[in-house]
Amino acid sequence: MNWPASLQARLGLSLGLVLTILWLLAATVTAVIVRGEMDEVFDSALRETAERILPLAVTDIVGREDQGVTQRLAPIREHDELFTYLVRDAEGLILLQSHAADPAVFPPYDAPGFRQTATHRLYSDAALQGTIRITVAEPLAHRMSVAREIQMGLGLPLLIVLPLALAAIVMAVRFSLDPLRRFRAQLEARGARDLSEVAADDLPTEIGPLAATLNSLLARLREAFEAERSFAANAAHELRTPLAGAIAQAQRLRSETSDPATDARAAEIEATLKRLTRLSERLMQLARAEGGRLRMDRSADLRAVARVVVDDLARASAPGRIALTLADTAVMSDIDPDAFGILCRNLVENALRHGAETAPVDVTLTGDAQLIVSNDGPVLPRDTLSRLTVRFERANPSTDGSGLGLAIVVAIADRIGSQLILKSPRPGSSSGFQASLRLPTDPAETIARDAMRRT
């Protein structure tokens, strides 16, 4: 027998089977005991009947004028005679019999006591030194009928009680497993990066150690991730000062030398140090995305943050290349503005770096808090798209970049319960690339905006 995989089904099935077997066994034992007690009661009734009728029969027979005549007693009213009897003399001549007695079912008298044939249970007794003998008979079918009624009385309730008992067992098992079901629901509702302890106060004592072990494992994982993030953030932060000093020295060397070869080497060193500086900044952003608090207790308008980020990038590295489109109404969200700025900056920088140099980068923030960044360029294969969010993965290894921009965006999207969607070519075009994600919005603001639209 293959047991079901569900613990609830296993408990319900096993308890139901045990209850059914025990109940049937108890009913069988009860029926056997009741049958034995019933036989004793009927035997006692046979004997009492014989002992009460025999003195009356002796008085009647001795006082007769005509000896040797068979007398059949007529019934006072019609009824089923379950006990029948014959009164015979020593030679077997019938002297007295009940109205429904059939002499054929009465065997010859042999001795006082009980006797049983294939169809009847009999009791015999004698008086006057054995000259007057009585035999009382009861049909075995009567006893079997009574036994069947008793068995039906014991068995029929089982057809009602057992289903009710099984339903009660299922409900009891389901109620008992509710804490475990809530514990599972808590685990299923958690995000992939949520390593906080799971509440397990109401779990049964058998499951409690499992929850404690799980929480201990989550705590160790949380400490390991915190140590990793702290190391990355601290290392990146500590690198900024020496890198800035090294860049300054390289720039000074270039300004002081007149040798073209030395100037070229100093320029290469400066470019490498700047790449290291950008990488350290990306590592700090990644540590912030994975470890910081990205949802706030209050909402803010994201349009101002998007405008600041785009203006800064346009002024620093891409004048005239970024086309910003903002919603007419406020885009309220509880995402940390700094986290949104990191997210927006990485998407735009990725589009500027990997898109066509002469084509504009379109940045759109819609009223329903959807951020869309698209650029023109060659179409990327599907397998390349699936790898872009992997850390240190770049679509074109020859281009400048750390390979962490989209990985940072994905980390922030996971933490705020969103998903980064990459498409190539961009919708409505045969070329280009588009990245989009939906930001968390203020429910009250969303309801108010929908109401305004309907009116």
Side-chain angles (χ1 to χ4, degrees):
M1 178 180 178
N2 293 327
W3 285 91
S6 169
L7 178 60
Q8 177 177 320
R10 288 188 180 186
L11 289 175
L13 182 60
S14 58
L15 290 176
L17 287 176
V18 170
L19 176 64
T20 302
I21 292 173
L22 290 179
W23 211 318
L24 291 176
L25 182 61
T28 303
V29 172
T30 302
V32 172
I33 294 175
V34 169
R35 179 63 183 269
E37 295 295 329
M38 181 189 69
D39 288 339
E40 291 183 3
V41 170
F42 279 111
D43 286 349
S44 176
L46 274 176
R47 183 170 182 172
E48 289 292 333
T49 301
E51 290 178 353
R52 288 182 178 274
I53 293 177
L54 183 58
L56 298 177
V58 169
T59 303
D60 178 72
I61 292 171
V62 171
R64 288 182 184 176
E65 296 180 359
D66 300 328
Q67 298 295 325
V69 177
T70 300
Q71 183 179 359
R72 180 186 295 269
L73 296 179
I76 299 176
R77 63 182 62 88
E78 291 294 331
H79 66 279
D80 293 332
E81 190 174 34
L82 298 178
F83 286 0
T84 57
Y85 61 88
L86 292 181
V87 179
R88 294 174 288 195
D89 59 13
E91 287 74 24
L93 179 63
I94 299 175
L95 303 177
L96 183 65
Q97 70 179 60
S98 60
H99 75 278
D102 182 4
V105 304
F106 289 82
Y109 179 88
D110 52 1
F114 290 98
R115 185 176 178 182
Q116 186 168 314
T117 64
T119 58
H120 287 73
R121 177 78 169 170
L122 306 105
Y123 179 78
S124 300
D125 204 352
L128 299 181
Q129 298 182 352
T131 57
I132 298 178
R133 304 166 179 176
I134 186 171
T135 302
V136 182
E138 178 195 7
L140 294 179
H142 174 238
R143 294 196 179 191
M144 293 178 62
S145 175
V146 174
R148 280 194 302 270
E149 291 178 0
I150 293 176
Q151 291 172 354
M152 292 291 290
L154 292 173
L156 284 179
L158 296 183
L159 299 178
I160 301 175
V161 174
L162 276 180
L164 293 177
L166 293 177
I169 289 175
V170 172
M171 295 298 295
V173 170
R174 185 177 181 83
F175 176 77
S176 301
L177 293 180
D178 273 346
L180 188 59
R181 195 175 294 106
R182 289 192 296 269
F183 183 74
R184 184 191 66 186
Q186 292 181 37
L187 291 178
E188 291 178 346
R190 297 165 72 91
R193 300 184 184 275
D194 186 2
L195 298 178
S196 60
E197 288 190 358
V198 185
D201 299 333
D202 57 346
L203 284 179
T205 55
E206 293 82 2
I207 309 296
L210 178 61
T213 303
L214 175 62
N215 284 329
S216 176
L217 175 61
L218 290 176
R220 291 196 298 270
L221 288 174
R222 186 169 60 252
E223 293 173 359
F225 285 140
E226 288 292 341
E228 180 183 349
R229 284 194 291 265
S230 177
F231 173 77
N234 292 334
H237 180 73
E238 293 298 327
L239 283 174
R240 296 178 68 180
T241 301
L243 284 174
I247 290 173
Q249 293 296 326
Q251 292 173 345
R252 181 178 179 182
L253 179 61
R254 292 184 64 189
S255 66
E256 294 178 351
T257 184
S258 59
D259 183 9
T262 302
D263 182 73
R265 290 182 181 179
E268 185 178 350
I269 292 173
E270 181 184 355
T272 302
L273 292 173
K274 287 182 177 180
R275 285 197 297 271
L276 284 175
T277 301
R278 288 194 296 270
L279 178 60
S280 66
E281 291 176 353
R282 291 293 188 274
L283 289 175
M284 284 191 294
Q285 290 178 0
L286 183 61
R288 168 69 190 281
E290 292 183 339
R293 183 183 180 189
L294 304 185
R295 303 287 292 271
M296 308 300 290
D297 297 331
R298 62 185 184 279
S299 298
D301 188 1
L302 298 181
R303 295 181 300 170
V305 181
R307 187 178 295 110
V308 170
V309 171
V310 170
D311 290 345
D312 182 57
L313 289 173
R315 183 172 50 253
S317 58
R321 283 193 59 194
I322 305 176
L324 177 63
T325 303
L326 298 175
D328 296 332
T329 57
V331 182
M332 306 301 294
S333 175
D334 61 356
I335 184 174
D336 183 12
D338 290 338
F340 175 69
I342 293 173
L343 183 151
C344 184
R345 179 178 292 273
N346 278 279
L347 287 178
V348 177
E349 285 184 347
N350 183 78
L352 290 171
R353 184 175 297 112
H354 299 286
E357 295 182 359
T358 58
V361 172
D362 296 323
V363 181
T364 304
L365 182 61
T366 64
D368 56 354
Q370 186 175 13
L371 178 64
I372 304 172
V373 179
S374 60
N375 61 281
D376 198 8
V379 176
L380 298 178
R382 186 181 299 273
D383 57 342
T384 302
L385 279 178
S386 62
R387 297 198 311 268
L388 286 181
T389 56
V390 179
R391 297 178 183 182
F392 305 105
E393 184 73 26
R394 289 176 291 177
N396 187 359
S398 62
T399 59
D400 186 22
S402 62
L404 287 175
L406 292 182
I408 294 172
V409 174
V410 169
I412 295 176
D414 288 344
R415 294 287 306 282
I416 63 176
S418 184
Q419 181 182 8
L420 177 65
I421 300 175
L422 304 179
K423 295 180 180 180
S424 183
R426 56 184 177 178
S429 177
S430 59
S431 62
F433 174 85
Q434 176 180 293
S436 64
L437 77 161
R438 191 175 299 277
L439 303 166
T441 57
D442 187 353
E445 182 69 21
T446 302
I447 294 173
R449 184 171 59 250
D450 292 342
M452 292 180 61
R453 288 177 179 176
R454 287 193 296 269
T455 57

